[in-house]
Amino acid sequence: MDNGRFNRQMELADIACGGGHIFMCGLGGMMTGDFFHPRIFRKRRDAIIGAIAISMLAVSKEGLIDCSSAFSILNFILPPITDGLKSVGSNSYFEPREMMLICMHLAVYCLLIMIVKIKMLEKKKFRY
């Protein structure tokens, strides 16, 4: 980037990579919110407070990790929404390889959350 401007014309691949990133971040948020299923958290109030706390921590986790390295455990618990911005933020455009790594990271996170949620629902004897 040169003074906050792109140094080349935006291409269709840039738009597709950005759209894919937004889609995967939305999927990650959906899977994280789905983790607070009514059969897992019986009290609706606890589920709402948990979902709000997780979403606030997911957005601010990079700042917390910069303040203290003890918060680096949050990288393994919270959705990797801001991790993608950190890896492509210094570039003037989206690199397909970087965007593919970000999307794969988000896909693996979503898969793990889904597996944990299914195991917890099976433990609660919920048949889907």
Side-chain angles (χ1 to χ4, degrees), residues 41-88:
F41 288 89
R42 297 282 184 199
K43 294 182 181 178
R44 181 175 290 254
R45 181 186 57 129
D46 294 343
I48 291 171
I49 290 171
I52 290 171
I54 292 292
S55 57
M56 286 182 2
L57 282 172
V59 172
S60 63
K61 76 176 179 177
E62 292 299 323
L64 290 172
I65 292 170
D66 287 344
C67 289
S68 174
S69 61
F71 289 114
S72 62
I73 190 71
L74 294 176
N75 279 327
F76 299 104
I77 299 170
L78 298 173
I81 293 173
T82 56
D83 297 350
L85 300 174
K86 187 171 62 172
S87 66
V88 298

Side-chain angles (χ1 to χ4, degrees), residues 12-59:
L12 184 61
D14 296 327
I15 296 169
C17 287
H21 183 250
I22 291 170
F23 174 76
M24 290 304 294
C25 283
L27 189 63
M30 181 184 73
M31 294 304 283
T32 304
D34 198 31
F35 184 70
F36 296 97
H37 194 277
R39 300 248 182 190
I40 296 173
F41 288 89
R42 297 282 184 199
K43 294 182 181 178
R44 181 175 290 254
R45 181 186 57 129
D46 294 343
I48 291 171
I49 290 171
I52 290 171
I54 292 292
S55 57
M56 286 182 2
L57 282 172
V59 172

